[in-house]
Structures are given as C-alpha cells and as structure tokens.
Amino acid sequence: MLRPSPRLLLLLPTVTYRTVAFVEAARRLGAELTVASERPSTFERANPTGLITLDFADPTHAAGQARAFARGHLVHGVVAVDDDTAVVAAAIAEELGLRGNPVAAARAARDKHRQRQLLAAAGVAVPRFELLTIGADPESVARGAAYPCVLKPLRLSASRGVVRADDPHGFVAAFQRLKAILEQPGVAACGDWARHILVEEFVPGREVAVEGLVTQGALRVLAIFDKPDPLDGPFFEETIYVTPSRLAQAAQQEIAACAQAAVGALGLREGPVHAEVRHNDRGAWLIELAARPIGGRCGAALRFEARETGKGKGETLSLEEIIIRHALGMDLPTMERERRASGVMMIPVPGAGVLRDVRGVGEAQAVPLVEEVVITMHPGQTLVPWPEGSRYPGFIFARGGTSEAVEAALRAAHARLEFLTEPAD
C-alpha cells in the first residue's frame, strides 16, 4: 500500500510574489499542497483541500481554523512566506504539533522594538534605541538625540518608512514623514504598533543579508549576500544582492555568529530566517532578523547542490524546496550553495508616477551572464519611491564565475532598461 504524500499548509497572502516558486517546489517534492490565504478564492469550493481561507489578522483564530481543517485532512507541515504569516504559522505549528517556532519568538521577530530589547538583554550587538509615540514632540526629542540616527516603523517591511537623520532639522522632517505613513488608513488600522516610532543609532559599515535555516535552535547559514551599493540613507531602498560574499572569512564568521546569537536570543527554534547584519571595525551588528525566507522573488538567486539524496548525487535544490523539506520533516541532504556566483537586482524605482511602458527588456536579457529580467509592475500602476513606497518594479537575475562579474552584469542590464512614466493625478 502506497503511503499518502505529506501535506503542506502554505500561508500565502493574496498579494505576494512567492506563489509560483513554492507551488513548483511542492510539486517537485511530491507533497500535497493546501494554500491558505486571508481572502476567499473563487476556486475554493471546487478545490476544498487545495485552497482554504484563514484569519491572518488573528493567529489564534487561524490556528483554530487550521485545526478544523486538519481533522479531515492531516497536515504534516506549515510554511509562512512573510513577516505577518510567520506569526500565524507559529500558532498553527503549536496547535497541530508541527515543526515551527514558539509564538512568542515569532512575535518578537516581527516587532522591531521587542526584538531590540531581547537582543540587547542577551548581549547581541545592536544599535542604541529608543521608542517614541507618534504623539511625541519631535522638536523636543530632536534636541536630545544623538546623530546620525535612523527612524523606523515597528513592522513595515522592505525598508518602508525608514529614514536617516543627521541633525535636529532632519529628525523633525523624518519624524513627520514617517508619522504621515503610519497615519495612512491601511497602516493605522493594523494595531497599536502603528502609533510608535523606533529611533536608533546609525551603524556604519558594510551591510550583508544572511539567509539561513534553523533546526532545533541551531542556525545553518545557507548564503551571505553582499550589498555592494552603500546603504547610508537618507532612505534605504535595496538594490543588488550578490553571493558569495567578498568579505574576509573572519568577518563572515563574525556575521554568522551574530545571526546565531540573535536566533538564540529571540528563542527561534525551527524554520527559515533572513537577517540584515552590518560589519565594521567593531565587529558584526544585528540590524534586523525575520523568521521567514528572503522576500520578493530574490529566492530565485539561490540554488543548492545536494551531495546525497534519495534521488542520487548532483541534484539541484531551490531555497523553497529546502524550506518545505524541513517543514515536512523530510531528510535534508548534505548540501552547499552552487559553485557559481549569483545575484539579483531589485530594480530601483525610477521616480514617482504612473508606469506606461518599460523598454529595453530584451536588450537587458541579452547581457552575458543575465538569466532573467522580470518586470512585476504593469502599465497603469503607480510607482512610489522610498520611503513611502515598498514595491520594486522588477528583478534582474544573473550567474557567473565571480561575484564581481555577476554584479557588473546586473548593472549593465539595468542600464539598458528605460521606464516611461507620467505624473499621477
């Protein structure tokens, strides 16, 4: 008698880039897939085991809904793809006895202030910080602030609302700009966190992204991405990620140790993590850590070579396959990142306006080492620069012999793109 395929519960917000990558990974692994979203699908009745609706705004309620579903359809693993669903996944994992993080740990990773408190108490190197309410007098606070500093919201993603201030005048301007973002109806309705602003010391140095997988509290670093464009502000829109890192091995070891210390301080136990770490002459500093994989389509920049699997040697695994294998309790092969360098450019927003056309995509894709140019915004959509914005118009992927060559290819491809816009009404 054939054993039934393991069932994965995949938490996918209605608006996400991650659907295709995870669905394809589940198919390759032979897993049954149930996709949960916060809004009902028109196809839900036709596919009641493949599509369900969960209350992502209330993790406890969502866990109860998952329990009801699991009574008729055994669930073997749960995976979240973003910050909000990470807390929901933790609640479901606790409810169903699946691999996952404690809810308190997932909540701490989600909230930048709580994260700072726990990391500082555990001795992890983090910037000095202070929590303000949006009702504070910015001019009064600005007179006593240390500069340069960074103002940021507690929960918005993709560096939305993050602004550097170098003096009292800049502090007041940054405060007012962030307050306006937090008072937008769609943000203000999200809860008490939207009434607070975190002010922290600006930490200079090279910034990297750490992609990892946690098993029983131990962090396995899957990749360290260099961010070759300086992230010194005043806003913090990201552009290029490239791996392997060109930092010295000693620096990479300090970065990995810093990320592991943060995992322990937050109490994370199982699943993917994505961390932002800065390194300077004082060592590694934890800027942020999230209990979820790398965002957007950037996961496509990573491929792994399995040295031992049930299917034989030399199999190539995607990041999503590794995450699903872990969630389902499947054997994880001995693996390492592919030998070639790889990278992704999150295409910068060229300016505010309504997108009308993108030219030069074919020319950009023809650049040597470039594998794909993906434009994710469509004509008629509005481009919003940082710090108010948080959405990139597309992604460029490249692979080659060295990180330097990959970075050069990404820049060359970007130079061939032309975004045609017109002013928004």
Side-chain angles (χ1 to χ4, degrees), residues 116-392:
R116 282 280 180 268
Q117 289 178 312
L118 291 174
L119 297 182
V124 180
V126 295
R128 295 187 302 272
F129 61 94
E130 178 185 5
L131 186 67
L132 304 177
T133 71
I134 59 174
D137 176 9
E139 294 185 356
S140 175
V141 178
R143 287 193 292 270
Y147 297 98
C149 63
V150 176
L151 288 75
K152 60 175 60 174
L154 299 190
R155 292 194 184 181
L156 296 180
S157 59
S159 299
R160 183 183 179 194
V162 181
V163 185
R164 170 174 164 164
D166 292 327
D167 53 41
H169 175 77
F171 185 102
V172 173
F175 185 99
Q176 292 174 339
R177 196 161 183 176
L178 177 50
K179 180 180 178 181
I181 294 172
L182 294 174
E183 289 179 337
Q184 293 175 1
V187 177
C190 291
D192 183 65
W193 66 263
R195 295 190 53 79
H196 292 85
I197 291 173
L198 188 65
V199 180
E200 61 186 36
E201 167 193 16
F202 173 77
V203 176
R206 295 281 299 275
E207 183 166 312
V208 300
V210 179
E211 198 67 20
L213 185 70
V214 178
T215 304
Q216 297 181 347
L219 173 66
R220 178 193 298 189
V221 173
L222 300 176
I224 296 179
F225 285 101
D226 284 342
K227 303 180 183 184
D229 287 335
L231 289 167
D232 293 331
F235 314 127
F236 294 86
E237 177 186 15
E238 296 188 301
T239 52
I240 292 176
Y241 277 26
V242 63
T243 190
S245 173
R246 287 163 278 184
L247 290 176
Q249 193 62 36
Q252 294 188 46
Q253 291 172 350
E254 290 178 347
I255 288 165
C258 180
Q260 174 65 78
V263 165
L266 296 177
L268 297 172
R269 298 295 301 166
E270 302 284 348
V273 294
H274 178 77
E276 312 291 342
V277 182
R278 290 213 170 197
H279 191 273
N280 56 32
D281 56 7
R282 293 187 291 167
W285 298 73
L286 202 292
I287 302 302
E288 288 182 10
L289 186 144
R292 46 88 178 160
I294 192 170
R297 296 199 178 200
C298 297
L302 292 175
R303 293 176 188 162
F304 301 88
E305 295 176 356
R307 293 197 291 265
E308 298 176 27
T309 71
K311 298 179 181 179
K313 297 182 179 180
E315 182 183 9
T316 299
L317 300 177
S318 68
L319 175 65
E320 292 78 14
E321 286 177 89
I322 291 172
I323 292 169
I324 292 174
R325 278 178 179 266
H326 174 269
L328 293 175
M330 301 170 69
D331 289 338
L332 276 174
T334 301
M335 61 189 176
E336 59 184 23
R337 203 194 62 79
E338 64 178 328
R339 295 181 181 180
R340 289 187 298 169
S342 62
V344 56
M345 172 182 276
M346 292 153 273
I347 299 174
V349 173
V354 177
L355 180 64
R356 288 307 173 204
D357 194 14
V358 183
R359 296 177 179 172
V361 174
E363 291 85 346
Q365 291 190 155
V367 171
L369 306 187
V370 169
E371 291 190 333
E372 188 177 17
V373 178
V374 182
I375 304 300
T376 53
M377 296 191 73
H378 307 292
Q381 291 185 301
T382 301
L383 298 169
V384 182
W386 269 247
E388 286 75 18
S390 62
R391 185 177 181 188
Y392 299 94

